Amino acid sequence: VDTFKTLAARDDVKAIVLTGNGRAFCAGVDLKELTTSPDVLTDGGMGTESPIVVALRDCGKPVIGAVNGAAVTGGFELALACDFLYAAENARFADTHARVGILPGWGLSQKLSRIIGINRAREMSLTGNFIDAERAEAWGLVNRVCTAESLLDEALASAAQIADADP
């Protein structure tokens, strides 16, 4: 959250690339922590929005998600908070909220159906099944599928093109 606030304030930052470190983009919330700290999903109990999703929304800079592996549940919601997505060939997406018994409160229930259509969104949310990068591209969820090795370079090249455009 602090990083996005800092980036939003910098005039020399024109676009941001958000990616995961390691084999996953974001696997979602730690369910064990959720049982002891239920406010981890919200802004401290004062609302239902995720502080990180709010930080991305309020940033004011285009955010490209470079999905390098699994984007699951809260991680999928984080991906949907980006302006558009590139995915590595091994990327996988799933809405498993129903499987773990929590509501998708960070925008997924509205954003997903707008991007991929209501019936596909229903299928993803009601079954909790994963879709791979190829299907995600075919459904319009991701703009481009890249090799794992080229994902970050392609996302950064797109960010550079955005930076060269008139804001």
Side-chain angles (χ1 to χ4, degrees), residues 75-129:
F76 191 20
E77 295 212 60
L78 180 61
L80 291 174
C82 297
D83 292 293
F84 61 91
L85 301 173
Y86 286 179
E89 294 167 323
N90 64 330
R92 298 174 52 207
F93 303 85
D95 175 13
T96 62
H97 286 92
R99 288 186 181 187
V100 296
I102 57 177
L103 292 172
W106 299 350
L108 180 143
S109 61
Q110 297 83 34
K111 293 174 186 175
L112 185 60
S113 62
R114 286 187 211 143
I115 296 169
I116 67 171
I118 189 71
N119 287 336
R120 289 174 175 153
R122 284 178 182 151
E123 179 183 2
M124 284 192 76
S125 295
L126 296 174
T127 66
N129 291 338

Side-chain angles (χ1 to χ4, degrees), residues 115-154:
I115 296 169
I116 67 171
I118 189 71
N119 287 336
R120 289 174 175 153
R122 284 178 182 151
E123 179 183 2
M124 284 192 76
S125 295
L126 296 174
T127 66
N129 291 338
F130 282 81
I131 64 168
D132 61 19
E134 183 178 297
R135 177 162 293 172
E137 183 180 33
W139 284 3
L141 179 61
V142 301
N143 292 46
R144 182 180 307 166
V145 176
C146 313
T147 66
E149 298 77 26
S150 70
L151 175 66
L152 196 52
D153 289 338
E154 292 193 45

Side-chain angles (χ1 to χ4, degrees), residues 55-66:
L56 268 74
R57 181 191 66 211
D58 293 347
C59 176
K61 314 282 181 168
V63 179
I64 303 166

Side-chain angles (χ1 to χ4, degrees), residues 25 40 48 51 60 72:
F25 176 77
V40 73
T48 59
V72 183

